[in-house]
């Protein structure tokens, strides 16, 4: 369903798919909504007009899909081939050389399209779809776990295979690749951790990492700041019992703060020192953290109530002008620039 993010209560648009929805996205202008369902079909609707603009063919099953620009999508099919389509005409714009992809994504600025497999990651220019960066993991005992684009940096994590090495030999390697100048690239070996998120800002890359240990008793995360000029860790803060589902760098009262949240708490860290300056735990778990503006964030709890949390004023209240909903039926919330809140 699509909801007005202002005063209208209830869905103003509803779209249907054949299979269960497993992924949704909106394009940069908020004009189009993409959905990928469980039977491998991709749908694109014009949100304002409520019309189906694009529907993938039955010839192949789509495993991953993402918007590229305002009117194109990149799809990975069940043969691991990446194809670019025009959503208005359905025509093939490009078929990428990568034939081993297991997923694609586009950076926040829309400059780079990234395709990744278990041992390689490739970056393409979104205007020409030419390859501008290609990295392969050579070690047979390691595989690619996650890849992120932030600024002009490709950050990806390679981890040792726990089936091939003993527990005390396991480790993770964070690879920092400068897409513009590969000579500035570097890597850091760390404990056996998983990469959640990365944010580049003014020479610093902020990382959210969580542990990969099998025991739930070892549940913890790290927030780390890495200086790309000195190629060294500036600070590293351990956080107990939190694996981030949201990780952001926000300007709050003129100061940059690192915001990290999961299903039960939200923390604010000093971006210079890593010190925890604010923490809020919730009686009811958070389903999703949907937006952040002017020192406030909107969260949805497990009772289906939207909550506004004002970090600057330390105020917490339910948003009466929004609506209650059945949390069990919600998979994801998205916000788009035209003021709509999209539920799937």
């Amino acid at each position: 369903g699509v909801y007005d993010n202002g005063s209208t209560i209830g869905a103003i648009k509803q779209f249907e798919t054949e299979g269960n929805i497993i992924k949704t996205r909106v394009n940069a202008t908020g004009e189009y909504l993409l959905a990928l369902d469980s039977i491998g079909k991709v749908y694109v609707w014009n949100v304002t007009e409520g019309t189906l603009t694009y529907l993938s063919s039955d010839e192949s099953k789509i495993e991953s899909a993402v918007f590229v620009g305002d009117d194109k999508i990149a799809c990975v099919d069940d043969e691991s081939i990446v194809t670019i389509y025009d959503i208005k005409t359905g025509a093939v714009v490009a078929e990428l050389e990568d034939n081993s992809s297991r997923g694609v994504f586009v950076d926040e600025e829309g400059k780079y399209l990234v395709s990744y497999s278990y041992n390689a990651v490739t970056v393409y220019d979104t205007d020409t779809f030419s390859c501008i960066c290609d990295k392969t993991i050579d070690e047979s005992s390691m595989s690619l776990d996650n890849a992120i684009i932030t600024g002009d940096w490709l950050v990806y994590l390679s981890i040792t295979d726990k089936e091939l090495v003993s527990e005390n030999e396991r480790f993770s390697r964070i690879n920092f690749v400068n897409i513009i100048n590969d000579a500035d690239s570097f890597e850091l070996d760390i404990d056996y951790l998983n990469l959640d998120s990365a944010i580049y800002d003014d020479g610093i890359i902020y990382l959210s990492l969580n542990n990969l240990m099998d025991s739930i008793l070892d549940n913890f995360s790290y927030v780390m700041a890495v200086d790309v000029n000195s190629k060294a860790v500036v600070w590293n803060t351990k956080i107990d019992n939190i694996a981030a589902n949201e990780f952001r760098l926000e300007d709050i009262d003129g100061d940059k703060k690192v915001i990290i949240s999961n299903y039960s708490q939200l923390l604010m860290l000093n971006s210079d020192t890593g010190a925890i300056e604010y923490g809020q735990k919730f009686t009811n778990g958070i389903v999703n953290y949907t937006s952040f503006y002017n020192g406030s964030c909107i969260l949805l709890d497990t009772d289906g109530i939207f909550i506004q949390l004002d970090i600057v004023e330390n105020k917490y209240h339910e948003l009466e002008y929004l609506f209650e909903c059945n949390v069990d039926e919600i998979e994801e919330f998205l916000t788009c620039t035209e003021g709509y809140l999209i539920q799937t």
Side-chain angles (χ1 to χ4, degrees), residues 174 176 188 190 199 201 204-209 221-227 230-239 247-249 256-260 267-277:
I174 310 176
F176 300 87
L188 292 174
I190 59 172
I199 302 170
D201 182 74
I204 302 292
I205 295 181
Y206 301 91
L207 304 168
S208 169
L209 304 140
S221 297
Y222 285 102
V223 179
M224 181 185 297
V226 177
D227 189 315
S230 65
K231 302 179 181 179
V233 176
V234 179
W235 53 259
N236 188 17
T237 301
K238 183 178 180 179
I239 302 171
F247 185 68
R248 302 190 182 200
L249 187 67
K256 293 177 183 177
K257 306 294 182 183
V258 179
I259 306 294
I260 181 171
L267 300 175
M268 180 175 73
L269 284 69
N270 185 299
S271 63
D272 293 325
T273 66
I276 299 174
E277 298 183 337

Side-chain angles (χ1 to χ4, degrees), residues 26-29 66-70 105-114 126 148-153 197-200 246-250 337:
V26 291
N27 73 333
T29 64
V66 65
F67 278 110
V68 182
D70 295 335
F105 66 89
V106 174
D107 72 302
E108 289 187 357
E109 296 180 13
K111 296 194 301 183
Y112 305 117
L113 171 66
V114 182
T126 53
I148 298 167
I149 291 278
T150 176
D152 290 319
W153 288 87
S197 302
I199 302 170
Y200 173 80
E246 286 290 341
F247 185 68
R248 302 190 182 200
L249 187 67
E250 298 289 346
T337 56

Side-chain angles (χ1 to χ4, degrees), residues 13 15 30-34 44-54 87-88 338:
K13 297 283 193 315
F15 305 116
E31 183 180 2
Y32 295 104
L33 167 66
L34 176 151
V44 178
W45 295 278
N46 184 304
V47 174
T48 305
E49 297 177 0
T51 55
L52 181 65
T53 303
Y54 175 84
I87 62 172
K88 295 179 180 178
E338 291 193 349

